[in-house]
Amino acid sequence: MGSTPLFAGDEINTIVLNSTRSEIEQNFDCGHEIIHLSKHREENGGIFRCFEEAQNSFLEWEANEGSAQLIVPYQDFIPRFVHAAFVSPTCDTFMVPELLATYYHVSPRVVEIRMDSLSYEIDQYRCGVPVEKLELLSRRQQQKRGIRASCYSAKCAFSLDWDSAIG
Ligand SMILES: [Zn+2]
């Protein structure tokens, strides 16, 4: 597995994308490095070598979340997901991640992670809260408040009955 190096410079920043990764993976990798550039450039001496298998540090997590928001912004994703899955389902629910992945030029995995990390916000939207009024809570904040959000990736994967499955 290759790395995607980033070299932050005074005048020129360089992002090197790994050509062995697919186009949609490179799309996400590029967003990931842009987040390092904009938020983390004072860290690591401005040099990041991002291996897929070593993305457990906070900076790597933040770069992945930032890239997801850059390419798949929740303000656009949540209404689009709810429409595709509930309002006007044009395919079986297990196809929804693939459908949205094609739309955003990301892998279905990125869409599934988005469905899970935004599940509380999707629940609110489905209850009628407009996108601009959604309360964004981290998983930890949800746990503190005893909130149990729906698991949309499981529901898509197993084509569960949506309405009876919403608790
Ligand atoms: Zn990284």
Side-chain angles (χ1 to χ4, degrees):
M1 188 70 63
S3 65
T4 302
L6 164 70
F7 308 97
D10 289 334
E11 290 175 16
I12 297 174
N13 304 304
T14 307
I15 293 173
V16 182
L17 296 173
N18 183 341
S19 62
T20 64
R21 308 252 295 155
S22 71
E23 262 182 43
I24 56 171
E25 287 170 332
Q26 290 184 44
N27 195 24
F28 192 86
D29 292 344
C30 191
H32 175 107
E33 302 307 332
I34 287 169
I35 300 301
H36 280 321
L37 268 180
S38 57
K39 296 194 77 165
H40 309 143
R41 59 184 305 134
E42 306 306 325
E43 317 271 348
N44 293 356
I47 298 175
F48 287 84
R49 290 178 192 279
C50 302
F51 290 88
E52 207 176 13
E53 62 267 35
Q55 298 196 344
N56 44 15
S57 76
F58 177 74
L59 295 183
E60 294 307 306
W61 173 84
E62 195 170 52
N64 280 337
E65 283 290 305
S67 182
Q69 173 60 14
L70 199 63
I71 300 170
V72 188
Y74 79 86
Q75 296 92 331
D76 186 83
F77 175 75
I78 291 176
R80 201 172 292 281
F81 168 71
V82 169
H83 193 270
F86 302 98
V87 181
S88 173
T90 53
C91 56
D92 283 330
T93 51
F94 74 88
M95 288 292 295
V96 168
E98 207 149 321
L99 194 78
L100 294 175
T102 304
Y103 176 79
Y104 289 110
H105 300 287
V106 294
S107 67
R109 183 77 193 120
V110 169
V111 172
E112 283 163 9
I113 291 171
R114 218 62 188 129
M115 282 156 51
D116 282 339
S117 64
L118 293 170
S119 53
Y120 173 56
E121 291 75 14
I122 294 170
D123 282 349
Q124 293 172 62
Y125 184 80
R126 293 192 66 225
C127 289
V129 180
V131 164
E132 61 278 8
K133 298 238 166 93
L134 292 176
E135 181 185 36
L136 303 173
L137 283 188
S138 71
R139 196 49 63 89
R140 185 174 301 174
Q141 288 169 312
Q142 291 174 34
Q143 279 167 356
K144 260 192 196 163
R145 289 207 211 159
I147 294 168
R148 287 175 59 94
S150 305
C151 183
Y152 288 102
S153 62
K155 284 170 186 167
C156 274
F158 301 108
S159 294
L160 296 179
D161 179 346
W162 293 95
D163 290 321
S164 67
I166 302 290

